[in-house]
Amino acid sequence: AQSVAQPEDQVNVAEGNPLTVKCTYSVSGNPYLFWYVQYPNRGLQFLLKYITGDNLVKGSYGFEAEFNKSQTSFHLKKPSALVSDSALYFCAVRDGVISSGSARQLTFGSGTQLTVLP
Amino acid sequence: NAGVTQTPKFQVLKTGQSMTLQCAQDMNHNSMYWYRQDPGMGLRLIYYSASEGTTDKGEVPNGYNVSRLNKREFSLRLESAAPSQTSVYFCASSDFRRTGELFFGEGSRLTVL
């Protein structure tokens, strides 16, 4: 079974400081990893993904994430936080099988509320 | 582009009432999903449909039924609503033959009294 852990329910950071939102995962085989962001009263929006290749993945709004296979982690980072980055962030994982027979299910973490203080 | 559209956005039901949440996507995706979101629990998969004509149970299917009406539409039905089904429901779609990122609707907030 696949799983995702986001160990921090809440992360607070001052505007202009770097931010990190942590994620660790467990999956059989090679992982496909995703980060989503949810603003209040909205659906989840895709931020970035790791499929293969470079361990540092760049995504929307200046976010990036680093895949670390040995630590089974996929932490979300941004060099300089903005107040507008305040939102709920979800990490998700699925196995890397491309199958025509069935949908590959995405498993989500419980979410981390990021608050950027002005 | 509309993406994934859900209706209704808000609904209040009494215990025992039934209702259907509608979802449609215009991205020609094969797979569609229904999730529920509860505080501190992230998103939990209720049902999914890998392709038109197929449906499968997810993590929390009890009390729900689904219908994949055609490639575009995937509905979620509560036959006899219970207070435990008070939640925010999200429909999503993806092309699982590729990398499979999900595209979400705006959500439907359901309250069961």
Side-chain angles (χ1 to χ4, degrees):
Chain A
Q2 56 196 37
S3 64
V4 175
Q6 293 182 243
E8 300 157 318
D9 292 336
Q10 175 84 40
V11 170
N12 296 328
V13 63
E15 188 173 30
N17 283 1
L19 69 86
T20 299
V21 182
K22 296 179 180 177
C23 171
T24 58
Y25 67 90
S26 173
V27 70
S28 299
N30 294 322
Y32 284 10
L33 293 155
F34 305 83
W35 275 101
Y36 288 82
V37 60
Q38 184 181 31
Y39 298 101
N41 301 313
R42 302 296 299 276
L44 278 71
Q45 297 176 31
F46 169 74
L47 266 183
L48 52 79
K49 65 185 177 188
Y50 171 83
I51 304 300
T52 186
D54 195 349
N55 289 345
L56 186 63
V57 178
K58 294 188 183 298
S60 307
Y61 312 120
F63 283 94
E64 58 190 26
E66 186 169 11
F67 171 63
N68 187 316
K69 187 172 183 177
S70 63
Q71 297 185 6
T72 61
S73 66
F74 189 57
H75 301 331
L76 181 70
K77 300 182 180 183
K78 188 174 183 181
S80 179
L82 299 173
V83 172
S84 57
D85 293 330
S86 298
L88 187 58
Y89 290 82
F90 289 97
C91 181
V93 68
R94 52 160 280 195
D95 64 57
V97 176
I98 300 296
S99 167
S100 62
S102 64
R104 311 311 294 181
Q105 295 183 37
L106 213 58
T107 298
F108 286 84
S110 56
T112 298
Q113 180 67 48
L114 173 68
T115 300
V116 181
L117 305 167
Chain B
N1 291 336
V4 178
T5 304
Q6 292 180 232
T7 56
K9 292 192 185 326
F10 302 93
Q11 184 73 48
V12 178
L13 292 177
K14 294 180 180 179
T15 297
Q17 288 185 317
S18 62
M19 77 159 297
T20 300
L21 300 176
Q22 306 285 357
C23 175
Q25 53 92 9
D26 62 3
M27 295 173 283
N28 201 35
H29 284 163
N30 311 97
S31 303
M32 297 185 73
Y33 308 79
W34 277 105
Y35 286 88
R36 60 177 288 172
Q37 182 180 23
D38 302 290
M41 302 189 74
L43 275 76
R44 292 182 292 169
L45 183 63
I46 304 171
Y47 271 93
Y48 66 100
S49 171
S51 59
E52 186 179 353
T54 69
T55 60
D56 285 286
K57 295 178 180 179
E59 182 184 355
V60 289
N62 291 344
Y64 305 95
N65 285 302
V66 291
S67 295
R68 183 74 182 267
L69 306 171
N70 48 54
K71 190 171 186 178
R72 290 186 64 248
E73 298 173 288
F74 187 41
S75 63
L76 178 72
R77 182 162 179 84
L78 287 68
E79 291 290 352
S80 179
S84 61
Q85 294 177 305
T86 294
S87 187
V88 182
Y89 292 85
F90 288 98
C91 179
S93 70
S94 75
D95 184 350
F96 69 83
R97 292 188 178 89
R98 301 183 65 187
T99 53
E101 60 260 38
L102 299 177
F103 294 81
F104 284 85
E106 293 287 289
S108 299
R109 185 175 296 273
L110 175 65
T111 301
V112 183
L113 302 175

